[in-house]
Amino acid sequence: MARTGAEAGVGLSLHQRIVIVPLAIDPNRGRGFLDDLVSRANADTGANTGANTGAESQLLLDLLDGDDRLKQFLGAVMANSAYLRDLCLLDPARLGRILITDPDARIVAMIEAARDARADSEADLMRVLRKLKQELALSLGLADIAGAIDLDVVTRALAEFADAALTAAIRFCLRDLAARGRFEIADPDQPEVNSGLIVLAMGKHGAFELNYSSDIDLIVLFDPAITPMRGRAEAPVEFVRLTKRFVKIMQERTGDGYVFRTDLRLRPDPGATPVAVSVPGALTYYEALGQNWERAALIKARPCAGDLKAGDAFLHEIVPFIWRKYLDFAAIADVHSIKRQIHMHKGHGKIAVAGHNVKLGRGGIREVEFFVQTQQLIAGGRNPELRGRRTLEMLERLVASGWIEEEARADLTAAYRFLRGVEHRIQMLNDEQTHLLPQDDEGLLRVAYLCGFETRAAFEAKLLVHLQNVQRHYADLFEDEPELASELGNLVFTGDDDDPDTLQTLSGLGYRQPSDAAKVIKAWHFGRYPAMRSTKARERLTELHPVLISALAKTDNADAALRAFDAFLARLPAGVQLFSLLRSNPHLLHMLATVMGSAPRLAETVARRVHVLDAVLDPAFYGSMPSREEFRNGLDLTLAQARYYEEALDRARIFAQEQQFLIGLRLLSDTLSGDQVGYALARLAEVVVDRILTRVDAHVAESHGHVPGGNHAVIAMGKLGGEEMTATSDLDLILLYDVPEDASQSDGVRPLAISQYYIRLTQRLVTALSAQTAEGSLYEVDFRLRPSGNAGPLATSLTAFETYQKSEAWTWEHMALTRGRVIAASSSAFADRVTAFLHDTLRQPRDRGKVAADVAAMRARIEKEKGTKDIWDLKQVAGGLVDIEFIAQFLQLVDGPSHPQILAQNTGEVLARALDAGVIDADVAGRLSTALRLYHRLTQVMRMTLAGSFKVAEAPRGVVDLLLTASAAPDLRRLELELSETQQMVRQLFERLVGPVALPESPDTL
């Protein structure tokens, strides 16, 4: 600016101290506004507005009448600043009062008036404070533009007025709280003394450096040890309400404007804590979870209202947190990340004037402040002289302590003063909390004129000199700065405000809601989750940021993947080991990101059982699947550690869930094909059923004993029997038993009749497999394929089963029996006996025409009930899985008696054996087998990754990619065409081999 005005004449009135008369953007408009001002002042003197108002308006008229320079000054101010113009015209008497008094004395008087403000109602207090704020804003604006006061007077006056207004608001709230019998005050004039209510001014407010239209950043605390509550009042409840109330008094907009916009987000973990935090809670937070950006913020913290003594005591308590004796490498790295938040890139980018952010932009105010704060953090622990709040004072002390050269201090001081002045002029235009220079020529010229320049070019030249000086010194400070985000761009998650460049980086990576993503990541560092409580865990996760964010972004829905990872973190009991593991094994992180983005079902499992990831690091993970014996040994090992029955059920669930997760990962990582997954899941399930049955048998025996000589076996049917399970398959089971002829009941302390005993055993088995425990459930279980379905007993004697299958079973029940196999039994001899009967039943000769009609009718009935045109309903669509399964079952029923070698539970195996036996030709077998493999592979992917049905329009890209890989299709359109053609082909083969799909004339022929 052209001149400063500190030496213009202390003790003189404002109109006598005008040093700078700015040019007007439009002199004619300025004269018009001046005429309007005179007209309003004349109206005041002639109206019945009170002696003082009329006299002060007359003083204004007298001043204007004899002072052309004053008229030019006011005309230019009103032409250039809409906000100051409105304040001038709103109350000419007030303007006259401001012009005829010493601005320094006027400022002191307004601050005292605010501090002493008392009112009978909240509305009255709000009105008084807003009127005073208007007068302060006009006084400071005019005096600043005129060069009558310097920067320090302006910023200190704003901060001290904020302190005073807060004090008045808090006093009002405390008096009201006392009047309602909930608080004890010793001095009604100063109820805040010994109240335990602490209000810390942060940032520029704390340093007495507030800008013209600044928010005020506060941290509100209360000390429960000294708060004089009365009755049943509780300090946490009352002080939260009180805080909300005084914030409303300060910032709510009324017809008179507002006092200060108020921000409470610098308190400990603002997303999870109330607006007023207890002192013990704050101390615990800073001790355990405080971040380095919070240390930097607390450098400027100052008790500004409330119980000042308690505030000083609190700041004394956290001195060790702010000022450390040394910095470790993690803290230094975090300091660098704070620096990145103001998007400083050495040697990159050009400083433009139009639209430049004089606070956050390159070479801006924040860089001067950070230049100081960084070195305070580094050196202030050892040198108490460097612990001050004020930027310019600390620059001088840094020189005195040998930390910076005098040239840097002089350049940065001059730049800081200039840029703060520009900032004030920007905000004077419309009373907006903005730091952006106008984009348009007229707006820039208004700012230039208010700064005292005669041309825009002169203003821009001076501005660029200061910005470039700041940028140069700032870059020198971080000459050896490490790279934080490699080629990705800014990834800064410190501080309270979002870093614009970080949001741009996130958006470029594919995050559709970058601000929400940044908020999620910031929240990790507040230690809300158990896994993030330790400093080391947070440091490890910070190191993972670039690769983690990039990996999640490569999934189809980056935002959903990040939310899933956040939910995963929330469930983790501890984080250091996992984060170190991921850092050392990037491939594991990418696999985890794939799970989060493409497989919500698996993401849920890994969130519950994070240690399953250890198994992924085992080289055996990429080899062959565990055999049935290996599954059995693993389950036996974990069950052996169970101390009681319920714990055994929980351990079985943990084991099964972990193994299912590993099978799913093998599918996602393409180390296991879709058709192999069905076999692996079935092997796991039959081992679980076998071992659980053993535990259930022993548990039932504790009360009811055993049946002497009795035997039982579990037959797997459906997908389990056919070894074609998916991640969501039910277990279709039948329990058969056999006892000696002379057995009548069990031999336990509470004996049961034979049928009741085995029904109880079956009930307990169902519960053991399907009940929800603390570790979830194992499987949904279905016993409806037993004789007579739900109408029959839950457990069936082998004799009754044999009789039913020989004389009463429907064709569809024999179809189901083709997939039956014994997976658990009390003895191998009984298992062999049951297996032999199953084979004998399927080898019985049948009428080919009748079976064909029954199978076709059964397919028609299912199609009527569950039919669909959706080609992605691979099971039920015409020509889908059911058609192929029915073909295989039909061939076994009609050709099994003459070709028993084709009998098998697995559909693919049946087709292969039928080809070898000459039952079907190579063309039919090849086409059906190819379709079956395609269906199985696609079904496994969909069931493993999605919780619901597959919808093409909603399908995550990651799932689509897995489907394309599984099918070897080049794109989704070609895959859908292949599916449609395959389904038509399968239906044609079904009708050729079995018959037309049509319901029978009589409903009882199946």
Side-chain angles (χ1 to χ4, degrees):
M1 269 160 281
R3 284 181 284 179
T4 61
E7 71 284 357
V10 177
L12 298 178
S13 61
L14 176 55
H15 80 93
Q16 295 172 314
R17 291 170 63 171
I18 296 175
V19 175
I20 301 169
V21 177
L23 296 177
I25 191 72
D26 185 341
N28 289 330
R29 290 194 70 199
R31 284 189 289 271
F33 291 136
L34 201 59
D35 290 342
D36 192 8
L37 177 64
V38 170
S39 175
R40 295 188 183 205
N42 279 320
D44 283 348
T45 59
N48 184 22
T49 56
N52 287 341
T53 299
E56 290 166 345
S57 294
Q58 186 59 54
L59 283 172
L60 174 63
L61 292 172
D62 293 342
L63 286 174
L64 292 174
D65 186 50
D67 193 339
D68 290 340
R69 195 162 183 269
L70 177 60
K71 286 193 286 189
Q72 184 183 349
F73 173 78
L74 290 176
V77 169
M78 290 191 287
N80 295 335
S81 167
Y83 175 60
L84 294 178
R85 177 182 69 237
D86 291 344
L87 290 178
C88 287
L89 296 176
L90 182 63
D91 190 346
R94 177 176 62 194
L95 176 60
R97 186 166 62 247
I98 291 170
L99 291 171
I100 64 171
T101 55
D102 173 6
D104 297 299
R106 188 92 209 140
I107 290 168
V108 171
M110 285 184 285
I111 292 171
E112 289 304 314
R115 180 173 286 105
D116 295 336
R118 296 187 70 156
D120 293 331
S121 69
E122 185 178 289
D124 288 342
L125 178 64
M126 291 170 69
R127 186 178 307 108
V128 169
L129 292 178
R130 279 154 180 75
K131 290 290 187 181
L132 286 168
K133 175 62 185 304
Q134 287 180 9
E135 187 164 347
L136 180 78
L138 183 57
S139 299
L140 293 177
L142 294 177
D144 193 6
I145 293 170
I149 56 176
D150 64 16
L151 174 67
D152 186 66
V153 173
V154 177
T155 59
R156 181 174 287 276
L158 288 164
E160 289 183 352
F161 185 85
D163 295 355
L166 282 167
T167 297
I170 289 169
R171 286 175 176 174
F172 176 86
C173 294
L174 288 174
R175 291 185 190 111
D176 183 66
L177 193 62
R180 291 186 285 116
R182 307 184 74 79
F183 188 78
E184 188 76 45
I185 56 178
D187 182 356
D189 291 329
Q190 294 181 303
E192 73 276 12
V193 175
N194 296 323
S195 66
L197 175 65
I198 300 169
V199 181
L200 299 180
M202 305 294 289
K204 288 185 170 64
H205 183 193
F208 293 106
E209 296 172 345
L210 274 183
N211 57 52
Y212 194 73
S213 294
S214 182
D215 298 351
I216 54 173
D217 292 300
L218 305 176
I219 292 178
V220 182
L221 308 167
F222 63 91
D223 188 345
I226 63 174
T227 51
M229 311 309 295
R230 293 179 59 190
R232 295 186 176 181
E234 298 177 352
V237 175
E238 298 301 338
F239 281 115
V240 166
R241 290 173 179 166
L242 184 143
T243 300
K244 292 178 179 178
R245 190 176 188 188
F246 79 68
V247 167
K248 174 194 172 188
I249 292 172
M250 293 293 289
Q251 74 175 10
E252 185 175 89
R253 284 186 178 271
T254 70
D256 298 310
Y258 62 97
V259 188
F260 285 97
R261 291 175 294 266
T262 306
D263 194 332
L264 303 176
R265 291 176 298 167
L266 289 181
R267 69 185 184 274
D269 195 1
T273 55
V275 292
V277 181
S278 73
V279 166
L283 291 174
T284 299
Y285 170 83
Y286 288 127
E287 179 182 346
L289 304 171
Q291 301 175 57
N292 286 302
W293 72 264
E294 290 174 303
R295 294 177 55 215
L298 285 166
I299 288 175
K300 294 181 181 287
R302 172 180 62 84
C304 66
D307 191 336
L308 301 182
K309 181 179 177 182
D312 286 331
F314 173 79
L315 289 182
H316 179 74
E317 283 290 318
I318 61 169
V319 162
F321 167 67
I322 305 172
W323 308 110
R324 297 179 183 174
K325 294 179 181 178
Y326 61 89
L327 285 182
D328 58 25
F329 287 104
I332 292 173
D334 209 10
V335 169
H336 285 311
S337 75
I338 301 171
K339 178 257 180 183
R340 289 294 293 273
Q341 182 155 346
I342 56 179
H343 50 86
M344 167 62 190
H345 297 277
K346 289 186 300 181
H348 297 285
K350 181 181 178 182
I351 298 174
V353 173
H356 190 73
N357 191 318
V358 297
K359 176 183 178 182
L360 299 178
R362 296 179 179 90
I365 296 165
R366 180 63 65 83
E367 292 188 358
V368 180
E369 295 170 339
F370 192 78
F371 181 94
V372 173
Q373 286 176 293
T374 301
Q375 294 179 94
Q376 284 184 280
L377 282 178
I378 294 170
R382 296 182 297 272
N383 185 354
E385 290 295 312
L386 297 178
R387 298 180 184 180
R389 301 183 179 101
R390 310 206 69 198
T391 302
L392 298 184
E393 290 177 7
M394 287 303 99
L395 279 171
E396 293 178 357
R397 293 187 191 178
L398 285 169
V399 172
S401 300
W403 280 88
I404 64 173
E405 299 294 331
E406 170 59 26
E407 179 196 2
R409 185 209 65 80
D411 287 345
L412 293 176
T413 297
Y416 184 78
R417 290 186 179 279
F418 182 85
L419 294 173
R420 290 301 305 272
V422 173
E423 176 186 48
H424 288 175
R425 271 58 174 183
I426 293 171
Q427 295 173 353
M428 286 176 191
L429 296 179
N430 296 295
D431 187 32
E432 294 176 340
Q433 170 69 342
T434 180
H435 312 278
L436 296 172
L437 282 162
Q439 294 275 8
D440 60 296
D441 292 341
E442 181 180 305
L444 273 175
L445 200 54
R446 288 177 189 271
V447 174
Y449 286 166
L450 287 174
C451 289
F453 289 90
E454 296 184 356
T455 66
R456 172 180 165 181
F459 167 70
E460 290 186 356
K462 191 64 173 273
L463 176 67
L464 286 172
V465 167
H466 287 304
L467 293 175
Q468 288 162 359
N469 280 341
V470 172
Q471 188 177 31
R472 175 169 54 86
H473 290 296
Y474 194 70
D476 289 345
L477 180 63
F478 291 98
E479 187 174 359
D480 299 321
E481 169 194 354
E483 287 296 324
L484 293 179
S486 64
E487 73 281 359
L488 295 180
N490 260 26
L491 287 175
V492 176
F493 303 102
T494 55
D496 180 52
D497 297 326
D498 288 335
D499 166 33
D501 282 3
T502 293
L503 298 185
Q504 185 176 347
T505 298
L506 291 173
S507 180
L509 287 171
Y511 291 87
R512 297 175 185 174
Q513 298 167 312
S515 182
D516 290 346
K519 189 178 299 182
V520 167
I521 297 168
K522 283 182 183 181
W524 297 341
H525 295 277
F526 284 114
R528 295 176 192 165
Y529 302 152
M532 305 302 298
R533 295 277 158 78
S534 74
T535 301
K536 183 168 286 188
R538 296 194 297 276
E539 290 170 1
R540 291 288 182 273
L541 187 58
T542 298
E543 293 167 357
L544 279 175
H545 278 168
V547 65
L548 170 64
I549 291 167
S550 177
L552 294 174
K554 290 175 183 175
T555 64
D556 174 54
N557 189 329
D559 301 272
L562 179 62
R563 288 193 296 271
F565 189 81
D566 181 58
F568 163 65
L569 283 185
R571 292 171 178 264
L572 277 181
V576 174
Q577 186 175 1
L578 173 66
F579 301 148
S580 300
L581 181 70
L582 295 177
R583 187 168 180 264
S584 303
N585 299 273
H587 70 281
L588 184 59
L589 179 59
H590 285 280
M591 182 176 290
L592 187 59
T594 300
V595 170
M596 298 300 166
S598 302
R601 291 188 69 262
L602 292 178
E604 178 68 17
T605 299
V606 75
R608 289 195 308 265
R609 307 258 74 82
V610 66
H611 53 81
V612 299
L613 293 174
D614 292 341
V616 182
L617 297 178
D618 189 333
F621 170 74
Y622 297 96
S624 59
M625 272 300 300
S627 65
R628 186 178 286 105
E629 190 62 29
E630 288 169 331
F631 273 140
R632 186 177 293 119
N633 290 340
L635 183 55
D636 285 346
L637 185 63
T638 189
L639 290 179
Q641 300 174 56
R643 294 160 296 175
Y644 44 87
Y645 177 70
E646 288 77 11
E647 185 182 354
L649 300 187
D650 279 341
R651 286 184 172 274
R653 280 155 172 73
I654 293 170
F655 177 83
Q657 290 165 0
E658 290 175 354
Q659 295 304 319
Q660 289 166 348
F661 172 75
L662 294 178
I663 292 169
L665 274 190
R666 289 169 179 269
L667 178 65
L668 294 187
S669 61
D670 205 26
T671 59
L672 202 64
S673 66
D675 39 351
Q676 291 173 313
V677 168
Y679 182 58
L681 290 171
R683 264 194 312 208
L684 172 63
E686 65 186 70
V687 167
V688 170
V689 171
D690 176 55
R691 287 312 194 243
I692 287 293
L693 179 60
T694 300
R695 291 278 173 161
V696 168
D697 186 36
H699 185 59
V700 170
E702 290 176 4
S703 299
H704 308 295
H706 290 99
V707 175
N711 278 294
H712 56 266
V714 174
I715 302 177
M717 310 286 281
K719 294 293 186 184
L720 173 56
E723 298 179 313
E724 298 166 354
M725 284 186 68
T726 70
T728 58
S729 292
D730 296 348
L731 302 187
D732 291 304
L733 304 175
I734 296 174
L735 189 139
L736 301 178
Y737 66 89
D738 187 55
V739 298
E741 290 184 4
D742 59 348
S744 60
Q745 63 180 24
S746 63
D747 59 6
V749 294
R750 292 162 52 198
L752 294 173
I754 299 301
S755 61
Q756 285 300 111
Y757 177 86
Y758 285 106
I759 289 173
R760 180 68 53 83
L761 181 69
T762 307
Q763 289 171 334
R764 292 287 175 85
L765 176 63
V766 171
T767 300
L769 291 171
S770 61
Q772 285 284 344
T773 73
E775 300 296 340
S777 66
L778 280 166
Y779 301 98
E780 291 298 317
V781 180
D782 191 339
F783 271 76
R784 288 177 297 176
L785 291 178
R786 68 188 186 273
S788 303
N790 287 339
L794 198 56
T796 307
S797 71
L798 179 59
T799 302
F801 184 74
E802 290 173 342
T803 301
Y804 180 86
Q805 292 295 336
K806 289 175 181 177
S807 59
E808 300 179 41
W810 300 73
T811 299
W812 71 264
E813 290 178 290
H814 283 168
M815 292 168 64
L817 209 62
T818 62
R819 314 192 80 172
R821 63 188 178 92
V822 177
I823 60 171
S826 55
S827 69
S828 58
F830 189 64
D832 292 341
R833 181 179 165 189
V834 173
T835 299
F837 172 74
L838 295 178
H839 288 174
D840 289 345
T841 302
L842 295 177
R843 285 198 293 265
Q844 296 302 310
R846 293 174 176 82
D847 183 286
R848 190 180 194 94
K850 180 181 182 306
V851 172
D854 287 350
V855 173
M858 185 66 181
R859 182 69 186 98
R861 181 168 294 173
I862 293 174
E863 204 161 271
K864 180 180 179 181
E865 295 175 358
K866 301 180 180 179
T868 177
K869 299 293 185 182
D870 181 4
I871 62 171
W872 287 102
D873 188 344
L874 300 178
K875 179 178 180 180
Q876 299 297 347
V877 71
L881 264 174
V882 172
D883 281 38
I884 301 176
E885 291 169 353
F886 275 24
I887 289 172
Q889 292 163 13
F890 167 74
L891 294 176
Q892 291 185 88
L893 293 182
V894 299
D895 292 309
S898 56
H899 300 88
Q901 67 269 35
I902 74 171
L903 298 178
Q905 292 84 22
N906 180 267
T907 303
E909 183 68 18
V910 172
L911 295 176
R913 293 185 182 190
L915 171 63
D916 291 342
V919 171
I920 55 176
D921 60 36
D923 177 63
V924 171
R927 288 196 285 168
L928 287 176
S929 296
T930 299
L932 181 67
R933 282 194 297 273
L934 176 65
Y935 292 164
H936 276 166
R937 290 178 178 183
L938 296 179
T939 298
Q940 291 294 357
V941 169
M942 291 188 286
R943 295 291 184 270
M944 191 68 72
T945 59
L946 300 173
S949 59
F950 178 80
K951 304 292 183 185
V952 174
E954 304 169 6
R957 188 185 68 206
V959 173
V960 172
D961 289 344
L962 289 170
L963 292 173
L964 295 178
T965 299
S967 62
D971 54 53
L972 190 60
R973 186 187 63 81
R974 291 283 294 276
L975 175 55
E976 290 188 316
L977 180 61
E978 181 182 356
L979 278 177
S980 179
E981 292 174 347
T982 299
Q983 288 160 6
Q984 293 176 27
M985 175 270 293
V986 169
R987 176 48 62 94
Q988 290 170 359
L989 288 177
F990 181 94
E991 294 183 340
R992 189 173 111 195
L993 294 170
V994 179
V997 177
L999 289 170
E1001 295 181 4
S1002 170
D1004 298 327
T1005 59
L1006 298 186

